Each structure stands twice: as C-alpha cells, then as structure tokens.
Amino acid sequence: MLNIKHFLYDFLVAEGLPENVAIYLNMLGLLLALLLIAFIVDYITKRFLWRFSAGIAKRTKTDFDNILVANKLPRNVAHIIPLLILIEFVPQVFTDFEITQNIIEITLKVITIVLTLQIIRSLLSSIKDYLKTLPRFKDKPIDSYVQVFMIFAWLLGFFSIIAIITGVSFIEFATTLGAASAVIILIFKDTILGFVASIQVSINDMVRIGDWITFEKYGADGEVTEINLATVKVQNWDKTITTIPTYALISDSFKNWRGMLSSGGRRIKRSVIIKTSTIKFLTDEDIQRLKKIQLVSDYLDNRSHEISSFNENHQIDKSVLINGRNLTNFGLFRKYLQTYIDNHSAINKDMTLMVRQLEPTAQGIPMEIYAFSKDQRWVNYEYIIGDIFDHVLASVTYFDLEIYELSLNQKA
C-alpha cells in the first residue's frame, strides 16, 4: 500500500514550519488531492458507463438498457469506485486525527449502504418499468412487489446504519429488535395488510390496472390506474382521482365491471310507470285500429282469432267484456315493446332480452325493459338507451295508456 501519510509533513517541517501547523497543512493537502482524484475517477467512470450503455442500446432491440439509463443505474454504479478509493485512503489522510478519522470512516460506511440501496432501487425500478411494457404484465400490481422488497431493503439498511453508528454488531442489534417486534408490526400494520392484500388481489385476479370499478364507500367510480402497496388509484369519470387502501379490496365490497366489458354487452334495465287507471280490455274496434301497427299486426290477427274461437266454442257471453278471454292494451303494449327490442339493431340478441311487468306500486305498474346493448362505450350506450325510451314514451299513447307523472296538486 502506498504510504502517503506524511507526504507533505516532512517537506513543510524541513522548510521551517511548526509541526502542529505542518500536520494540519499535510492533512488538508492530502484531503484535497484525494477528493480531486475521487472526483476525476467518478467523472471518467460515469462517462465510460454512459458511452458503454449507449453503445449497447444501439446494438440491442430491447428497451431495457434505455430504462436502466432512465432510472440512473449507470450513474449510481459509477460512484462505487470513487467511494472505494475514499475508504482506502481516508485512514492515511487522517492518520494524525483519530477522532476525525473514525467519524469519516463511519460516514463512508453509511454512504456505502445508502449507495447500495440506491443501486437496488434503480435496478428494481428498471425491472418494474420494463415489465410494464410487456402486455402480460400491464395489469399486474408490479408496484406492490417492488415496494415490499424496497421496504425490507431500507429496513435492513437502516438497521445496519444504526448498528454501525452505535458500534453494536448487526446480529446483536437484530436480536434486540426481536423483542420489539410487536411494536414494529403495529407501526407497519398498514404496509403488511397492503402487501397481503396485493398478493390476494393478484392471485384471485380481483382487480387489474385498466378495470372499471365502483366503490361507493370511497366514492370511486372509474378506471384503475395504479395498484401499489398502500393504495389503489382510480381515475373517476369526472377526471378526479380517488385513492383506496389496497386492503379495502379484500375487506369491503366493490363492483368490478370487467365481466360486463368482456361479455359482449352492457345491461339496459330501465322502466316506465303506467297509470293503472288507463289499463283496459280491448274492444273489436280497438283491435282493428291497433292492427295498423305493423309490429303487432300479425300477433293481433293470430291472437284475436284464437280468442274468438275459444269464446265461441265455450259460448261465452261477450256482451260483458270481462267474460271469457280478452286482450288488454297493457299486454299488447308489452308485446309491442318485446318485438321492438327484438328487432333493434343495437341490442345483443345472444344475451337476456325481455320486457316484463313489475310489481304494482302506488304510482302505477312499472313496465321494464331488460336487455344488453352491443356497444359498451358509455356515450354510445346512453345514446342507445335514449333512442329506445324516446320511442317507448312516444308510443304509449297509441295504446291508450298514460305514463305516471307527479303533479303539483298531488305533492300538496
């Protein structure tokens, strides 16, 4: 090993300077020289690694090397050699200043741990960013796993730093921490819960990045943009951001619309309330008039003939309309809507499709359309619903029916 301890000291003493002054000047001169050498080596190493990385990036098709550069891995690695030089020669520079030497050696050891953690973080961030470019990993909670690993790495680094500063061996320090494990678990409760939750979410495929979820408890209704250890970020349809604790995904109830998006249809479930007082039996005159409606004309021909034959065969007294079998305007309207929906081009015919009468209410009887639109996009979906119910509302009067409306007199 090169002995530079008194490189300037002997020369300065020979020149007539006092020994105490020569010691300080010797230390300062060696320190400046050491720092200059470390800076030059750091600069050269950094330039070399940058050129080396750029050369590899040009010769390879993958983007991983570009991601490494973007996450400053070469820059952090470049600091290793200068740091080793400082660790090697600091004892010689401060050979006459034992207390200062000990403080600086401890500081350099701490810097070494921090630099190691920075390199690990750069590497993990690069792996995370690269995996996110791959289609099969885009919807996976990669952030959670990276964060868990980094938490353990930072804890290990933090405990190592404490052990170095206190002068206690790492094993003894870790043993002491074992007694305080209950407190540590309490402090990191949310982190542990988030880690377990992120694993369960991933394994059970409950939520993916890009899923549309609705979480009423947290006011979330939109697309999942990020899943990490502590929170799930949801960009709502009004462009606001809602953060949900990751563990809430397994402890609370929420709605994931992925099944709807992958099913090929989006549900339409809406009704109109028909005034009960407008429901009636159809007379022969009503039937003849309603046969002009093309969607139910064939149905009326077949159905009225069948009912007439039944009433005649059973000698039903039709002077009273309620006797025997009859058609009602409400039932015919339901048949009309069923036929209309069956023929609508925007409705998915391979999924559940029906028009049904719901339980009577104080306002009237709801007539509900239950179907699935082919187009799942929100704007188009709302347009389809609007188109259908524009027609429904306009067609009610043709069947001598009325839709319930709450008047001001009724409110009073």
Side-chain angles (χ1 to χ4, degrees):
M1 181 184 294
L2 180 63
N3 186 5
I4 62 171
K5 293 180 180 180
H6 297 98
F7 184 73
L8 293 175
Y9 175 78
D10 296 334
F11 172 77
L12 294 173
V13 171
E15 290 294 323
L17 286 176
E19 291 186 3
N20 58 340
V21 176
I23 288 176
Y24 281 101
L25 291 177
N26 179 76
M27 182 268 291
L28 290 174
L30 292 177
L31 179 60
L32 290 174
L34 181 59
L35 291 175
L36 180 62
I37 292 171
F39 177 78
I40 293 173
V41 171
D42 183 73
Y43 178 78
I44 293 174
T45 307
K46 193 184 303 180
R47 295 289 296 178
F48 171 76
L49 288 176
W50 184 84
R51 290 180 180 273
F52 181 74
S53 302
I56 292 179
K58 290 180 180 178
R59 292 193 297 270
T60 58
K61 296 181 180 180
T62 179
D63 292 329
F64 186 63
D65 40 24
N66 298 325
I67 295 173
L68 289 174
V69 174
N71 284 288
K72 303 179 181 180
L73 182 64
R75 180 185 297 181
N76 290 329
V77 172
H79 296 320
I80 294 177
I81 297 178
L83 187 58
L84 292 176
I85 293 174
L86 291 173
I87 293 173
E88 180 69 23
F89 290 101
V90 156
Q92 298 189 49
V93 172
F94 294 95
T95 184
D96 297 314
F97 302 88
E98 185 177 352
I99 296 177
T100 305
Q101 177 185 334
N102 291 334
I103 293 174
I104 294 179
E105 285 181 342
I106 290 174
T107 303
L108 290 175
K109 289 178 181 179
V110 171
I111 292 174
T112 301
I113 293 173
V114 174
L115 179 60
T116 303
L117 293 172
Q118 291 289 350
I119 292 173
I120 293 173
R121 186 179 68 174
S122 296
L123 180 60
L124 290 176
S125 297
S126 300
I127 294 173
K128 176 192 70 175
D129 293 341
Y130 176 70
L131 291 178
K132 284 186 174 181
T133 64
L134 304 179
R136 64 179 180 275
F137 289 105
K138 279 186 176 180
D139 55 1
K140 298 297 186 292
I142 307 281
D143 292 323
S144 297
Y145 304 127
V146 172
Q147 287 175 351
V148 168
F149 193 91
M150 280 308 304
I151 285 174
F152 282 110
W154 278 107
L155 284 175
L156 186 62
F158 177 74
F159 295 153
S160 300
I161 290 172
I162 298 298
I164 290 171
I165 293 175
T166 58
V168 180
S169 68
F170 182 80
I171 295 177
E172 292 179 1
F173 185 75
T175 304
T176 304
L177 285 176
S181 58
V183 177
I184 295 174
I185 291 174
L186 181 62
I187 294 173
F188 294 100
K189 181 189 70 172
D190 290 342
T191 301
I192 295 170
L193 288 174
F195 174 58
V196 174
S198 63
I199 292 177
Q200 288 185 308
V201 166
S202 178
I203 292 176
N204 297 324
D205 198 21
M206 297 169 64
V207 177
R208 302 175 189 167
I209 294 175
D211 281 357
W212 169 18
I213 68 170
T214 302
F215 211 136
E216 294 183 0
K217 179 177 179 180
Y218 294 93
D221 184 15
E223 184 176 303
V224 176
T225 59
E226 183 180 331
I227 302 174
N228 56 43
L229 190 63
T231 59
V232 175
K233 287 186 179 180
V234 178
Q235 183 173 29
N236 300 310
W237 301 124
D238 60 2
K239 300 305 179 183
T240 58
I241 301 293
T242 299
T243 56
I244 303 169
T246 305
Y247 59 81
L249 296 178
I250 60 174
S251 62
D252 295 316
S253 176
F254 69 97
K255 183 182 291 185
N256 191 330
W257 295 82
R258 189 200 316 157
M260 178 272 292
L261 294 173
S262 61
S263 67
R266 185 168 179 177
R267 189 179 70 171
I268 298 172
K269 185 177 182 291
R270 187 175 293 184
S271 61
V272 291
I273 300 178
I274 304 298
K275 290 177 66 174
T276 309
S277 59
T278 62
I279 298 175
K280 65 176 185 177
F281 292 117
L282 294 178
T283 64
D284 292 337
E285 292 77 13
D286 293 329
I287 292 174
Q288 294 302 317
R289 174 176 56 84
L290 291 169
K291 281 183 179 181
K292 296 179 182 179
I293 301 175
Q294 294 181 349
L295 288 181
V296 291
S297 59
D298 292 339
Y299 170 80
L300 279 175
D301 282 335
N302 296 330
R303 191 66 173 161
S304 59
H305 177 72
E306 177 186 337
I307 290 174
S308 297
S309 298
F310 175 87
N311 290 334
E312 290 176 2
N313 292 336
H314 290 79
Q315 298 180 352
I316 302 298
D317 180 10
K318 293 304 296 176
S319 61
V320 180
L321 199 56
I322 194 175
N323 291 337
R325 296 173 60 181
N326 298 280
L327 289 169
T328 65
N329 58 346
F330 192 55
L332 184 61
F333 181 57
R334 185 175 69 250
K335 178 63 179 178
Y336 172 80
L337 293 182
Q338 183 71 52
T339 308
Y340 173 73
I341 294 298
D342 287 340
N343 289 281
H344 200 288
S345 60
I347 297 299
N348 190 327
K349 308 303 188 302
D350 297 326
M351 303 182 75
T352 304
L353 192 162
M354 63 178 172
V355 177
R356 59 177 181 167
Q357 177 188 141
L358 301 182
E359 184 178 354
T361 67
Q363 291 77 33
I365 303 179
M367 181 76 79
E368 182 182 80
I369 292 177
Y370 192 102
F372 291 82
S373 67
K374 292 179 181 177
D375 199 326
Q376 300 163 333
R377 291 171 295 180
W378 190 8
V379 173
N380 296 350
Y381 166 77
E382 292 294 344
Y383 177 83
I384 292 168
I385 292 181
D387 179 67
I388 290 174
F389 277 86
D390 285 348
H391 185 87
V392 171
L393 295 172
S395 61
V396 166
T397 56
Y398 287 85
F399 296 85
D400 298 329
L401 295 168
E402 293 181 19
I403 294 177
Y404 173 79
E405 292 180 349
L406 182 62
S407 66
L408 294 176
N409 292 332
Q410 287 176 299
K411 286 183 180 181

